[in-house]
Amino acid sequence: MAHQVALGIDIGGSGIKGAPVDLGTGQFLRERVKIATPARSTPEAVAAIVDQIADEFTDDLPKDAPIGVTIPGVVQHGVVRTAANIDKSWTDCDGESVFSKALGRKCLLVNDADAAGVAEVRYGAAKGKDGLVILTTLGTGIGIALIHNGVLIPNAELGHLEIDGHDAETRAAASIREKEGLSYKEWAPRLQRYYSVLENLLWPDLFVVGGGVSRKADKFLPLLTLRTPIIPAALENAAGIVGAAALAAD
């Protein structure tokens, strides 16, 4: 039996990437296409590139294949409410309509961390895990996805928890470790504090750690003492594309 196919497109601050996804396996059906994010990443400029990427896969997809697009910002009913690492003109823009118009068909717009979380629960590190899974992406900031028994609770901005008088991501994001020249051992107490607060508020069953730094998980996860199991993400750079495709198909 052929699995359903959907197109996932992941918009980041530096690159926009997409691929057709086999929703049975979570695997790409073709090598992903990546195009640099325009210097002025306005809705119109980004939508033109999303359309260009979709055109690359016209022959690989059924005409009615679902299309999911991620964006680094809060998305409420298709409207982008915050803009991290993209042009500020996205704020309060009906992004879903902008992309649907550019593509000539309806698509789904979703927060990038939410998409990554869904991908990890369906196909990656948290597959088969019941209860509350919290994905945290440690990157420029801290992105969060809350997924309870497979159901996404969207737009959790828990990277911005105020802890000890600081916005958490300004102390614990991976970018801060690099900026301040901290070793993993020096960074670990900040992560410890952050994850301890999260687990005491939400009592999750599993933490999944994504973001580029997750490839070095062995250097810092063993330094944390938590009651919640904490593991690295499995899908790395594919997670946004895969999650966007899966959510669009829902």
Side-chain angles (χ1 to χ4, degrees), residues 185-241:
K185 198 172 175 183
E186 290 166 329
W187 185 44
R190 299 184 181 196
L191 293 178
Q192 175 70 42
R193 181 81 180 108
Y194 177 64
Y195 285 110
S196 296
V197 169
L198 263 191
E199 71 174 359
N200 287 333
L201 285 173
L202 293 168
W203 287 78
D205 295 283
L206 179 67
F207 283 123
V208 179
V209 180
V213 75
S214 65
R215 289 194 282 274
K216 302 272 175 68
D218 58 320
K219 295 192 188 305
F220 61 92
L221 292 189
L223 304 175
L224 306 181
T225 311
L226 301 164
R227 63 174 174 264
T228 309
I230 185 164
I231 60 173
L235 298 173
E236 293 186 356
N237 290 338
I241 293 174

Side-chain angles (χ1 to χ4, degrees), residues 6-161:
L7 178 63
I9 298 175
D10 189 17
I11 296 168
S14 60
I16 300 171
K17 44 198 192 288
V21 177
D22 178 324
L23 297 175
T25 62
Q27 301 286 319
F28 291 173
L29 290 168
R30 251 189 65 196
E31 198 175 334
R32 67 173 198 172
V33 169
K34 182 176 181 177
I35 298 174
T37 305
R40 277 215 66 217
S41 50
T42 60
E44 295 69 29
V46 171
I49 290 179
V50 165
D51 184 41
Q52 193 182 334
I53 290 173
D55 282 348
E56 293 274 342
F57 300 113
T58 306
D59 298 340
D60 304 274
L61 292 163
K63 290 237 179 303
D64 59 348
I67 299 178
V69 181
T70 80
I71 198 153
V74 168
V75 181
Q76 271 188 318
H77 312 291
V79 178
V80 181
R81 298 297 186 190
T82 64
N85 307 315
I86 49 170
D87 196 82
K88 295 302 171 217
S89 58
W90 277 101
T91 309
D92 295 331
C93 165
D94 187 346
E96 204 163 82
S97 293
V98 168
F99 290 122
S100 297
K101 192 174 164 192
L103 293 163
R105 47 191 286 213
K106 186 148 176 47
C107 70
L108 176 81
L109 187 61
V110 62
N111 170 269
D112 55 357
D114 284 345
V118 166
E120 290 293 342
V121 166
R122 294 199 191 176
Y123 309 104
K127 189 176 179 188
K129 184 73 182 171
D130 289 336
L132 179 62
V133 174
I134 301 182
L135 170 97
T136 62
T137 58
L138 301 173
T140 308
I142 297 178
I144 297 278
L146 297 180
I147 296 146
H148 185 255
N149 289 339
V151 178
L152 172 68
I153 299 143
N155 298 316
E157 289 285 278
L158 296 173
H160 296 296
L161 278 175

